Amino acid sequence: MKAHLLKLYMVGLMLAAFFTACNKKELANPGQAKVVKLSINGSSTEQLEFIYKDEVIAATKNVGTITMDVLLSVSGQDAEVKIRKKGSTEILQSKPITNAPYSQHINIYYDGTKLYENAVLLLVKGYAISGELEFLVDGKLLSGGSGKIESRLMILMDKNGSRELTIRKKGETAVLFTKTIPANPEQQSLVFLFDGTNIVGNVELAPPSNPQNMIIRARFQTIFPLQFKNVDVDLVFYTRLRSAANTVVGTKVIPELRFRLPKDGSFNTLELPPLPSPDLIYNFDIVESGTMLDPYVNGTPLVLNGYSVKPNEGRTTSQYVTDPIIFEAGKSKLLVLTDQRTLAPTLKAVYVSGGKVTDLSEYFQ
């Protein structure tokens, strides 16, 4: 009996020692260091160093994109990684690191002046009919271009902040266009058209409501600014065979099809119906809006040596290959339309008609 009691006593002592050891181990856990994998991503115009517990744990070898992983032994909840320029003691920013979870990350974007947490990729796509443009963020030049412009601008951003993009002509200070860029989403776009004076932002070419039709979004630009009356104009549409001689009169669309274009050069939209035959093309005359009169001041150089202005009636010339509007069902086109004059010496006549058709659609699709 005594032996049995002694045995039970010894077992009790062993269990007590076991649980005591477990409790000590549990109390020790919070103070134990844990390994954390820290991913550092972003970009910098300067070489940077990352400091942890007064030691350099990582450094960028080159400027540009930053992508690196480092392992840290973290104990407690108040650890931090400090960031500085290589060769400097000034701390640009500190980032908190905790002992959990295992995988953590920080984003940093440094432009040589300030360190940011986010970046927005702005896809710029547009066309400058004339001149060269510059793109600035908060007054700092990022990019420039002329003609067809396609740029990918990385705009650095404070968390939940915003920055201002401006566009101006090269060599000038006047702002042509302003766009506020928010921190989200991470990828944004700007589609624009510059006509030499003004910028039209966020150009969109929506499909026609009827897939058998074609949409044209167009603006008018006279090549006779000294004679132009500065009035709204109408395009009056005619049809003609592709193979017809240049001087052949066109067939006026019935019922009459007119398309008003403002004198200030702003864009207007028309949905063109399909042509009755694939052998036909659209031609147009340009007249003062609401009339069949030419939109020019009488007695100007448009009439020379006894020549008089006569109705064009859908004639075309070989001067501009792009003069006709080629119909394509279901398409949307962005057009810049000019006027032109054609002399007929034998008739002592001047025919004023639609001129060059510049199709900018490819830049906005």
Side-chain angles (χ1 to χ4, degrees):
M1 183 68 178
K2 288 182 178 181
H4 179 69
L5 291 173
L6 180 61
K7 186 175 181 180
L8 289 174
Y9 176 73
M10 294 299 294
V11 170
L13 289 176
M14 292 174 64
L15 289 172
F18 174 76
F19 285 115
T20 300
C22 288
N23 288 337
K24 288 182 179 179
K25 186 176 180 181
E26 288 176 0
L27 291 173
N29 277 344
Q32 286 186 343
K34 291 186 177 181
V35 175
V36 168
K37 184 180 79 169
L38 179 65
S39 298
I40 305 172
N41 298 287
S43 65
S44 176
T45 59
E46 305 273 354
Q47 288 183 267
L48 300 177
E49 293 179 334
F50 300 86
I51 316 300
Y52 181 64
K53 295 183 177 179
D54 298 324
E55 293 185 4
V56 177
I57 57 167
T60 59
K61 296 181 180 180
N62 302 295
V63 299
T65 302
I66 299 173
T67 303
M68 59 178 66
D69 293 328
V70 292
L71 295 177
L72 303 177
S73 178
V74 180
S75 57
Q77 301 292 323
D78 299 322
E80 62 180 12
V81 170
K82 299 177 181 179
I83 306 165
R84 71 187 183 194
K85 286 197 292 186
K86 186 176 181 180
S88 173
T89 58
E90 179 186 358
I91 302 302
L92 299 173
Q93 199 173 88
S94 296
K95 297 285 187 178
I97 307 297
T98 59
N99 62 3
Y102 169 71
S103 294
Q104 301 178 43
H105 73 275
I106 58 175
N107 292 328
I108 59 161
Y109 300 91
Y110 185 59
D111 64 1
T113 304
K114 181 179 175 180
L115 197 147
Y116 298 86
E117 296 184 7
N118 295 324
V120 169
L121 178 61
L122 182 67
L123 305 177
V124 177
K125 186 177 181 182
Y127 191 89
I129 294 175
S130 65
E132 186 172 353
L133 299 177
E134 294 180 331
F135 300 84
L136 305 94
V137 171
D138 295 337
K140 183 177 181 180
L141 181 64
L142 290 188
S143 179
S146 60
K148 182 180 180 180
I149 298 173
E150 291 189 60
S151 299
R152 297 165 62 90
L153 303 182
M154 186 68 73
I155 300 178
L156 309 186
M157 197 81 62
D158 288 325
K159 187 176 182 180
N160 300 322
S162 64
R163 300 188 75 182
E164 187 174 82
L165 172 79
T166 56
I167 305 176
R168 70 186 183 193
K169 277 186 179 181
K170 185 176 181 180
E172 298 184 8
T173 57
V175 174
L176 299 172
F177 184 82
T178 301
K179 180 179 176 66
T180 299
I181 310 297
N184 290 295
E186 293 181 355
Q187 183 168 309
Q188 300 174 40
S189 63
L190 170 64
V191 181
F192 73 93
L193 175 68
F194 178 56
D195 62 14
T197 304
N198 301 302
I199 286 183
V200 181
N202 298 318
V203 177
E204 295 182 3
L205 296 180
S209 58
N210 183 343
Q212 295 182 343
N213 295 343
M214 181 180 82
I215 281 184
I216 58 172
R217 185 178 180 188
R219 69 182 295 269
F220 171 70
Q221 182 175 325
T222 183
I223 63 172
F224 308 111
L226 297 180
Q227 292 82 41
F228 185 57
K229 288 183 180 179
N230 196 32
V231 293
D232 294 348
V233 301
D234 287 344
L235 307 190
V236 180
F237 283 88
Y238 293 76
T239 63
R240 58 184 293 111
L241 287 170
R242 292 174 185 264
S243 58
N246 293 332
T247 58
V248 173
V249 174
T251 301
K252 191 174 183 181
V253 176
I254 302 297
E256 186 179 64
L257 180 59
R258 284 181 176 248
F259 180 29
R260 187 183 66 82
L261 294 180
K263 61 185 177 182
D264 61 6
S266 56
F267 282 83
N268 211 348
T269 302
L270 173 70
E271 193 160 321
L272 277 175
L275 289 161
S277 167
D279 296 325
L280 294 174
I281 56 175
Y282 275 117
N283 263 46
F284 59 91
D285 285 353
I286 294 177
V287 297
E288 184 174 345
S289 185
T291 75
M292 289 302 293
L293 304 174
D294 64 271
Y296 309 99
V297 178
N298 293 330
T300 69
L302 278 176
V303 181
L304 299 171
N305 301 323
Y307 283 63
S308 59
V309 176
K310 292 188 176 181
N312 184 67
E313 299 178 298
R315 293 177 177 84
T316 187
T317 74
S318 58
Q319 183 178 358
Y320 295 116
V321 177
T322 54
D323 181 29
I325 294 178
I326 307 300
F327 183 86
E328 295 181 81
K331 295 286 188 178
S332 294
K333 295 190 176 183
L334 184 69
L335 307 176
V336 177
L337 309 174
T338 68
D339 45 9
Q340 70 171 341
R341 66 179 183 180
T342 303
L343 301 180
T346 58
L347 301 174
K348 289 287 184 176
V350 177
Y351 295 103
V352 178
S353 66
K356 187 174 183 179
V357 177
T358 303
D359 189 347
L360 305 176
S361 311
E362 63 177 294
Y363 305 114
F364 303 98
Q365 294 176 342

